[in-house]
Amino acid sequence: MRWLPVLYVAAVLLLEPATPVEWPVSFVLIALPLVTAFAYGPVAVAGATVFAVVLEGVLAGTPCCAGRPVGHLWDRYYVASYVCTALVGVLGTILAAHRTHRERTLADVRFVADIAQRVLLRPVPHRIGDLLLDSLYLSAAAEARIGGDLYEAVPTRYGTRLLIGDVRGKGLLAVETAAALLGAFREAAHDEPALPALADRVETSMDRRAALLGGNEVGERFVTAVFVEIPAGEPVLRVVNCGHPPPVLIRSGEVRELDSGRSAPPLNLGVLAGEPYHVEEYSFRPGDQLLLYTDGITETRDPDGSFYPLLQRLRAWRSLPPQGLLEQLHHDLLAYSGDRLQDDIAALAVCLPADGPAGPACVAGVDIM
């Protein structure tokens, strides 16, 4: 865009000697201020306006350049062109000033959104005890920075506790709900000794918030979530699933979902079911890797409408460490969807490194935002 005014003028200069004298191409220079306004500020647009008027005069009455007599310089048609160029220049200058102001405002808004996202979804630690972690967040809208997908990893005296969730709906209400859920989890993770008690306490916080909000959609403001606990020094992990896609365990030669079929209702709907939370325990040995994700991944479609084959892809990447796994997942999702994601995406990968060749050579990485 910044080269567009130069290319525009170059095109005029190339066409002028190639056209008959009675067909002055210089009239198209009237649009030069607006062309400049697309990429430059008001000062540059004003300068381009002056340049366009001068160049129109040169092409109108310079025998050596355009083959026209000097008397054409003040012909009424060319004078009208000068006036129109000046008027368009004024409008272009105003447009450029307005665009520059909007760009600065948008930059400020994005900066605030970036800060808000880091407060809401702060980067997970790359290492907690023996565990290595990495995270991924992709927004379906290029302009968006935060949404209803969430994740967290908290080191506690009971072990490392993980959370991934997906708030129903979009917009500010979803962001507020995600913030309330993360706040409740970060606090309760240190206090509740049992994972079902942790889920129940977060559920209570969500019920209380929904009641305070009021309205007709209290029962619909729910969150699907998975709570995971990995005790230090024990080859196990514990899972409480609240209506969320099950975690995936990646082990050498094996990729499987940790789904017992006893998922609890989503948070804020548990009171309707009245059932206790069930904790499931699975082995988690050195070399194993756990992937938590939101349904935006499995609901990603290709141009033909086929859903993303997550387990199939993971079988090809099971030797990758958390950083490499999420980087590969990131690029593959964009390629599969044709860079057109239909939903926000969040993922959290956790690996217990193996000393030998039994599993992936886990290495610490950085968040992909």
Side-chain angles (χ1 to χ4, degrees):
M1 293 297 292
R2 299 187 69 84
W3 282 98
L4 189 57
V6 177
L7 297 176
Y8 192 84
V9 173
V12 172
L13 295 178
L14 289 174
L15 288 174
E16 179 66 27
T19 56
V21 174
E22 60 272 16
W23 296 353
V25 181
S26 60
F27 286 146
V28 300
L29 289 171
I30 295 174
L32 182 61
L34 289 181
V35 173
T36 307
F38 278 106
Y40 292 89
V43 175
V45 174
T49 302
V50 175
F51 173 79
V53 172
V54 172
L55 184 56
E56 286 173 347
V58 170
L59 296 178
T62 306
C64 65
C65 297
R68 300 184 183 90
V70 178
H72 283 196
L73 179 63
W74 298 111
D75 186 274
R76 63 180 182 274
Y77 299 107
Y78 290 102
V79 172
S81 175
Y82 309 151
V83 174
C84 290
T85 303
L87 291 176
V88 172
V90 172
L91 295 176
T93 302
I94 296 174
L95 175 63
H98 179 68
R99 180 187 56 79
T100 303
H101 175 72
R102 292 292 298 272
E103 287 179 349
R104 290 173 180 170
T105 302
L106 181 59
D108 291 340
V109 170
R110 287 181 171 175
F111 176 75
V112 173
D114 287 337
I115 298 300
Q117 184 185 37
R118 288 194 169 271
V119 173
L120 179 63
L121 286 182
R122 57 194 181 193
V124 298
H126 298 313
R127 178 182 290 274
I128 299 179
D130 294 332
L131 300 174
L132 297 176
L133 304 91
D134 218 324
S135 59
L136 167 68
Y137 184 87
L138 296 175
S139 174
E143 297 82 6
R145 291 295 189 270
I146 51 181
D149 287 13
L150 56 98
Y151 56 80
E152 183 59 290
V154 178
T156 72
R157 54 181 172 172
Y158 309 111
T160 300
R161 286 179 163 175
L162 313 172
L163 168 69
I164 195 159
D166 187 358
V167 180
R168 176 192 178 274
K170 304 291 182 183
L172 183 58
L173 181 60
V175 175
E176 292 177 349
T177 303
L181 175 60
L182 286 170
F185 173 77
R186 289 163 179 165
E187 181 68 22
H190 295 279
D191 299 333
E192 299 296 339
L195 200 60
L198 170 59
D200 185 66
R201 182 164 165 183
V202 174
E203 165 90 22
T204 301
S205 297
M206 298 303 299
D207 291 343
R208 186 182 301 117
R209 178 181 179 277
L212 290 174
L213 288 175
N216 298 324
E217 298 183 357
V218 173
E220 297 182 4
R221 296 186 183 115
F222 61 84
V223 185
T224 64
V226 170
F227 299 85
V228 176
E229 179 181 273
I230 305 177
E234 297 183 37
V236 299
L237 60 83
R238 302 182 180 98
V239 178
V240 169
N241 193 329
C242 301
H244 196 79
V248 176
L249 180 64
I250 304 171
R251 182 172 290 164
S252 179
E254 179 185 15
V255 175
R256 68 185 179 102
E257 292 183 334
L258 302 183
D259 187 6
S260 66
R262 304 179 66 188
S263 173
L267 300 174
N268 202 33
L269 293 182
V271 65
L272 302 178
E275 297 181 1
Y277 291 103
H278 300 285
V279 58
E280 303 295 334
E281 190 169 292
Y282 304 91
S283 65
F284 192 63
R285 305 190 298 263
D288 290 351
Q289 189 165 190
L290 185 70
L291 177 67
L292 308 175
Y293 63 94
T294 58
D295 59 8
I297 291 180
T298 52
E299 292 181 359
T300 296
R301 296 173 183 259
D302 65 8
D304 296 328
S306 300
F307 289 107
Y308 184 75
L310 177 61
L311 296 183
Q312 176 183 335
R313 293 295 206 268
L314 291 178
R315 290 188 180 96
W317 307 331
R318 59 178 177 265
S319 62
L320 295 176
Q323 180 188 14
L325 177 70
L326 293 185
E327 286 180 348
Q328 188 67 43
L329 180 62
H330 177 193
H331 297 304
D332 195 51
L333 283 169
L334 294 178
Y336 189 83
S337 64
D339 288 334
R340 299 182 64 182
L341 297 175
Q342 292 85 18
D343 197 0
D344 295 342
I345 287 171
L348 183 62
V350 185
C351 181
L352 182 60
D355 296 332
C362 299
V363 293
V366 296
D367 286 353
I368 308 169
M369 300 301 291

